[in-house]
Structures are given as C-alpha cells and as structure tokens.
Amino acid sequence: MIPSEHKIQSVSEQKIVVFTDLDGTLLDHNTYSFSPAIPALQVLAARSIPVIPVTSKTLAELRPLMSVLGLKGSAIAENGAVIKRGDDSIDCAGSRSKLLSCLANLPFEIRSAMRCFCDMSAAEIATETGLDEAEAALAAQREATEPFLWGGDETELAALADALTASDFRLTQGGRFYHIIPPRDKAAAIEVLLAQKTPRPQTWALGDGPNDTAMLLAADRGALIANPHSDAKNLLPDGHQLYLSAKTGPAGWRDAIAAFLGSDFG
Ligand SMILES: [Mg+2]
C-alpha cells in the first residue's frame, strides 16, 4: 500500500519548470511590455514553479530584465551558449578566450572582411542595431558568441565557416548579422540544466521563433506564441502536440500558461 501511495503522490507532485524565450514571447515584440503576462507569472510564483529565461540576449542584458520580471535563479543566455545556474555560477559552451583566439588566427583577408561587435564601440553597435547606447554596451558584454557584419564574398564566407568548424564553433545568420556560436543551442542548454535535477521535472517551454522550435518540441508541454513576423509555425513537424497561441507576445504567453495549468486566472 505504502509504495503505491508514494508513487501516486510523487506523480501528482512532480515539479514543473517553465523555460521561456523573451522577445516576442514573454515580452511584446515592439514595446517589450510583459503586463498581460503578470497574472500568469504571479500564479506560477505562488505555486513555486520556476520560470527560466532562454534568450539570445547576453547575461548583462538579462540581469536587469530578470529583476524587473521578478525572476530569480537559473537563466540561459546567448541562445544556449551561456548558462547561469541558481548559485550564479556560469557555464559557457566555448569560452570567450577561445573565441577571441579563433578570431585572431583567421587569415587576414577573412578577418578584415568581418566587423565584429568586439571591433565596434557601443555607439557603432547602437547605430548598426537600433539599440540605444546603454543597451548596446550591455549587448557587447558577450561570454561565448560574437555577432559580426560581413563584407566579403561567398567563397570567403565558406572558408570562414570551415575555419570556425575546425575550432568547434559554428556560423549562423540572423538578419543582417552573422553569429559565431558554439555548438550548443537552447534545447541542448536546457538538457544541461535538467541533467542535475533528480527526479527530472516536468518541462514547459514557450517561444515564438525558429530557434525556439527544438526546445518547444523537446519539452513535455510546448507553446508556440503567435508572431506574424516569424515562420516558426511552418517549420513544425506534422502531428506536433504544441499549443499554438492565438494572441502574440505576453497575452499569448498568459493564455498558454492558463491552458497548461487548466486555469484562466479569473
Ligand atoms: Mg523570440
């Protein structure tokens, strides 16, 4: 009797962890407001369900945001390359020094065709990205990835991709900027965090972009938040079980959490 009671109790009390993208998901795509999500955040906090940001932002950008959002504990930054654990220790996939020495060892023709964040002042980054200068300074405080503008040709770009792969980095393109990234994405970073948790918690994941779909599909419950600027929905496999929100940003986030909790926050 006792073992089966224990089993029932452990299932009903299985811990839940929420992993969430920020821009276009918990934060409005244009205004960065999260007010429609506040009731959902409050219910999760009251139930001691942690909310872990999983974002392309740097830790320097993330820290003040987490404080505004009332989030403490772990976080995943730079698209999975950087993990901040609850004790504030940092786990980087591919260190900054390794990335900088990889850049320093590139052939001159290739390196001179790159304009990296580390080559630019905060004012220049602000001009190129549309961030204000204070935000640009935070975006420049990178641990494990490096955005750059490319001024070379396709052959040189292919040579750059090969050189990065040889140093265990990857090349990816997002909008105007290319990015040097280590081989650890958002979904893989979540696995690193979960590997230390026994028993494994139930995972919920929310995101709006193509770089979120792997973590949404890997989670026990995933929600794709509507975003008219994203083609993530078209990238989902047939028969997926994701919740698709009707609303965008934090209103969609709130609806997804309500659906997962089976509660509508009154
Ligand atoms: Mg997003």
Side-chain angles (χ1 to χ4, degrees):
M1 285 305 287
I2 290 171
S4 69
E5 275 174 8
H6 273 199
K7 197 173 176 191
I8 289 164
Q9 196 175 43
S10 70
V11 169
S12 67
E13 292 187 354
Q14 185 184 16
K15 286 203 166 27
I16 298 165
V17 180
V18 176
F19 294 95
T20 184
D21 174 54
L22 294 179
D23 292 355
T25 299
L26 179 53
L27 305 177
D28 183 89
H29 186 73
N30 298 309
T31 66
Y32 301 107
S33 162
F34 62 97
S35 3
I38 288 173
L41 286 167
Q42 286 171 336
V43 169
L44 293 172
R47 298 196 186 185
S48 301
I49 297 175
V51 176
I52 299 181
V54 186
T55 175
S56 61
K57 292 179 189 303
T58 64
L59 273 186
E61 291 173 288
L62 194 48
R63 285 199 169 98
L65 249 180
M66 284 181 75
S67 141
V68 170
L69 288 162
L71 303 181
K72 298 186 182 78
S74 306
I76 294 171
E78 296 188 42
N79 275 323
V82 179
I83 296 171
K84 181 186 87 72
R85 297 184 188 279
D87 63 4
D88 257 356
S89 63
I90 308 290
D91 169 337
C92 283
S95 68
R96 183 76 187 156
S97 58
K98 189 178 160 197
L99 193 152
L100 292 177
S101 77
C102 170
L103 277 177
N105 289 326
L106 289 172
F108 175 78
E109 311 78 59
I110 290 179
R111 182 66 181 89
S112 55
M114 303 169 75
R115 201 157 147 252
C116 299
F117 266 30
C118 62
D119 303 324
M120 300 186 213
S121 66
E124 287 174 288
I125 293 172
T127 305
E128 298 291 357
T129 59
L131 298 170
D132 71 31
E133 209 169 309
E135 291 166 341
L138 297 177
Q141 291 178 40
R142 315 197 71 83
E143 319 278 341
T145 62
E146 186 69 13
F148 66 93
L149 294 167
W150 176 246
D153 63 25
E154 288 299 315
T155 310
E156 289 164 330
L157 191 63
L160 171 59
D162 288 344
L164 293 176
T165 303
S167 297
D168 207 22
F169 285 100
R170 304 286 179 269
L171 177 65
T172 179
Q173 188 177 10
R176 282 184 64 218
F177 281 89
Y178 289 84
H179 301 261
I180 301 171
I181 58 169
R184 185 170 78 191
D185 66 7
K186 289 179 168 186
I190 287 173
E191 283 309 315
V192 171
L193 265 184
L194 290 174
Q196 292 192 323
K197 297 192 189 294
T198 40
R200 186 184 172 92
Q202 186 184 143
T203 56
W204 298 354
L206 303 94
D208 72 314
N211 65 344
D212 295 320
T213 55
M215 75 166 180
L216 303 186
L217 293 166
D220 295 310
R221 308 198 74 174
L224 181 68
I225 304 304
N227 179 345
H229 308 290
S230 161
D231 60 355
K233 201 169 164 182
N234 303 326
L235 301 173
L236 297 175
D238 291 340
H240 73 81
Q241 299 291 313
L242 299 187
Y243 172 92
L244 303 178
S245 80
K247 296 175 190 158
T248 61
W253 200 94
R254 170 193 154 125
D255 289 350
I257 294 294
F260 291 170
L261 287 169
S263 135
D264 65 3
F265 312 125

